Each structure stands twice: as structure tokens, then as C-alpha cells.
Amino acid sequence: MTDVAPAAVPFDLATLKMHWRRRIEAMRATGVLPLIDVESNLGDDLDIQVFARQMDGEGVALIAFSAVPQGRGWNDAARHAVAADPWRYIPAGNGGLPPDWKRDPVEFARASREHTRSDGYPLMGEYEFRHYPSPDQIQRGHRERDEDLPIDGPAGHELFRFSAESGISFQIHHEIEDQTLAPLEKMLTQYPKAKVIWCHLAQMRYQSRNTVYGPDYVRKLIEAHPNLYFDLFSGPPDHVYPGSGEYAGRYWDRSTGKLKPEWATLIADHPWRFMVALDLNPFIMKAFPRKVAVQRAVLDSLPPSAREIVAYKAAWKLLFNEEI
Ligand SMILES: [Zn+2]
């Protein structure tokens, strides 16, 4: 991928959007429900040609390509991806991942602001505030990524402020715990124009740490905060988080493999606030078809009127402020 010269910046979004729109329309014309994945961290060594065929095979129209900073500061890999394949990747800013984000969150938030502004990214990456070690890290013997950065600290203010000023959305990873809710609500209230995607709806890895969050709570948040969005990434219904031994995806009815009715109703009532996410990272690319199947199971649980919105229309509207 990085054999190709990086795309010029600011990105030529008008031309790119024309390609992306055509791709979505071509999929629809063949009867496929196209997906836009708003949240994936892809590697610099992604085999663009092989992955293009996989995306086509799974009906994934577009992936928001967020590059992984690897301790060397801002990573321009999304520019290479867009140059190599302008039909399939929406450039997203780097994710707030260790080590760069952890080492100096304020500096990383400022770098995000500068690059988003000068390069014209239509979406920022996923910033880890409260974050437990991910399952694939635990499997690889890495339990040290147990992050706890206050969302109402200086880096959080930097991101919320920039998003409110620019209208560019950013994504947060913020584990569901009673104690993490109040600081987030405070920030949403202080920055009502900040566009926040709270990643991984209903992913709860330690039930004992939450007595509040559920469909009623999320509904109240949505009604109180017009610029709050959620991504729908989840493991499959039987996925057990290895850190706790608990089923992590709480929106599933494990007996049917579909959403619990109360979650499906919530999403159907507010479909423009929810979007598909695959949460890919370079270590788990083999899981791509399985992850797509999980998101399609979520969509299949929704009434037909909500499916297209959640599959790709909500993401398009959030990123480009227009309907597709
Ligand atoms: Zn995440």
C-alpha cells in the first residue's frame, strides 16, 4: 500500500465522494445492502488488492481508514490507502491509541486537530479513554493496555472543543461503568455541538461495574444530546470477554442470535444515531467475514425502514452533512 505515493492533501473530497456514491449505488443495484464501516484501524501493510476483493465479496462499500500511530507520531497511511484505492476508503484521522496517545494525550489531541484541519479528514479516529485490554491482546499475552484517561481532562476538552468548532466527528472508546457516565454527560452538556460517536453500543465487559447503562439510559442520552452517536460493533452473541469470563455483547438475545427487542426498538426509533462498525485492527484481519456477518445480524434484527439508514445512510449524513 505504501508503495503508492500518498494522496495530496487536503483530500479532494468532492471527487472521492463521487466515487464512493457510485460504489454504493452499484451495490444497491445488485440487491446488496452496502455497509459503511465507521471504525477500523488498518495497518500500513494492508494488501489493498486482496482486501478490495474481500470487501466486494462481503458487500462492504466503504471503510473509514484510521491509521495506527506506532510511537512515531502522526501516521499518514490513510493518505496512501486513498491514493491506492479511492473507491473503498474514507480517510479518518489516527486513533488515540498507545503509545502515542498515552504518552502525551494533549499533544496527540492537538496533532489530531492540526492534521484534521490541514489534511481535510472528514472524520477523526477512536480515542481511548477508559479501555480494558482487548481480547486479541489478552490472547497475545498483553494485559497492560488498561487505560484510564479522564474524558473531562485537558485532552478530552481539546477534542470536544475542536469537534464543536469544526463540526468534524470523533470517536471515543469509553468502557461502560457507572463511574464513567457522569464525566461523559458533563462533557456532552458543555459541548452540545461536539459530534461524538461512542463506540461499541452495549459492550459491557464487567456487569458488576454497571447498574445504570441500558436501552432506557441510552435513549435518554440520545434525546438530551442531539450530536451523540453510537457504533454497533460487537462480538458475536456467544463471545466471552477473556478478562472477566462474561458475555460482553449485551444487546444480544443469545437464544435467537438477534437483538433483544428493547435494543432493536431503540435503534429503530433513532436510526440516524447508529452506525455499523467492524473495529478491525491489523492482528484480526482474518476475522473480517465474521465481523461483517455479526453486523448484518444486527441489521437483520431491525425493521426494514431502519436497515438502510443504519447500514450506510447515517454515516454518510454524519460525515458529509448531506443525505445519500
Ligand atoms: Zn474500541
Side-chain angles (χ1 to χ4, degrees):
M1 187 183 87
T2 43
D3 301 344
V4 180
V9 286
F11 295 107
D12 179 4
L13 284 179
T15 303
L16 290 168
K17 276 165 63 185
M18 201 173 62
H19 294 324
W20 299 336
R21 208 180 250 281
R22 282 205 192 125
R23 180 165 163 80
I24 286 171
E25 279 160 11
M27 282 187 170
R28 291 184 64 199
T30 60
V32 172
L33 178 59
L35 305 184
I36 296 181
D37 163 23
V38 291
E39 195 273 299
S40 277
N41 296 110
L42 299 182
D44 301 27
D45 55 354
L46 180 69
D47 187 327
I48 288 275
Q49 287 177 349
V50 169
F51 198 57
R53 285 193 290 274
Q54 286 184 275
M55 286 175 70
D56 296 354
E58 299 294 339
V60 175
L62 297 166
I63 293 180
F65 188 119
S66 181
V68 182
Q70 291 152 327
R72 300 189 295 266
W74 190 264
N75 182 339
D76 280 326
R79 290 177 56 188
H80 292 274
V82 167
D85 188 344
W87 295 275
R88 291 176 182 78
Y89 299 105
I90 300 171
N94 288 192
L97 300 163
D100 300 62
W101 167 243
K102 190 168 186 170
R103 194 163 52 213
D104 192 342
V106 172
E107 175 51 36
F108 192 85
R110 287 192 185 132
S112 301
R113 181 189 67 199
E114 292 315 314
H115 278 278
T116 303
R117 205 178 257 155
S118 61
D119 300 351
Y121 285 97
L123 172 69
M124 297 162 79
E126 181 192 17
Y127 296 81
E128 297 183 350
F129 288 94
R130 187 78 183 99
H131 190 290
Y132 307 142
S134 62
D136 63 289
Q137 285 175 318
I138 292 175
Q139 272 153 14
R140 284 180 280 120
H142 296 287
R143 284 180 174 263
E144 69 278 8
R145 181 163 151 235
D146 195 352
E147 316 294 353
D148 196 0
L149 185 75
I151 199 154
D152 54 351
H157 279 282
E158 184 74 42
L159 291 169
F160 275 80
R161 192 182 310 119
F162 174 64
S163 175
E165 284 165 11
S166 64
I168 307 291
S169 43
F170 70 107
Q171 312 178 52
I172 58 169
H173 186 113
H174 201 45
E175 305 281 356
I176 298 165
E177 295 180 2
D178 288 352
Q179 59 174 356
T180 60
L181 303 180
L184 173 59
E185 286 186 49
K186 187 182 93 182
M187 295 298 279
L188 293 168
T189 304
Q190 186 175 343
Y191 299 96
K193 290 192 172 161
K195 294 184 177 172
V196 180
I197 304 173
W198 188 356
C199 296
H200 326 324
L201 180 75
Q203 174 178 275
M204 205 178 298
R205 290 160 163 175
Y206 294 88
Q207 178 69 63
S208 60
R209 297 177 190 177
N210 169 58
T211 61
V212 177
Y213 182 107
D216 294 340
Y217 174 78
V218 173
R219 183 182 293 273
K220 269 190 224 138
L221 275 191
I222 282 178
E223 287 167 2
H225 303 289
N227 285 310
L228 177 62
Y229 300 82
F230 291 84
D231 93 28
L232 292 168
F233 169 75
S234 170
D238 61 354
H239 166 70
V240 171
Y241 178 61
S244 64
E246 297 179 25
Y247 294 110
R250 306 290 170 143
Y251 58 44
W252 295 113
D253 178 341
R254 283 193 303 283
S255 63
T256 62
K258 300 226 167 199
L259 293 183
K260 288 178 182 159
E262 57 271 31
W263 286 105
T265 304
L266 169 69
I267 298 169
D269 287 347
H270 296 283
W272 296 95
R273 303 294 197 95
F274 295 92
M275 39 206 81
V276 165
L278 301 175
D279 199 23
L280 298 166
N281 73 52
F283 294 102
I284 53 169
M285 296 305 284
K286 281 204 184 87
F288 175 69
R290 286 203 304 276
K291 292 186 162 228
V292 177
V294 168
Q295 291 293 285
R296 290 200 183 274
V298 171
L299 294 170
D300 286 346
S301 307
L302 302 176
S305 60
R307 278 181 206 154
E308 274 200 303
I309 298 173
V310 175
Y312 66 95
K313 289 184 173 188
W316 190 278
K317 181 151 188 264
L318 174 62
L319 267 56
F320 308 123
N321 219 5
E322 64 184 29
E323 294 200 15
I324 186 167

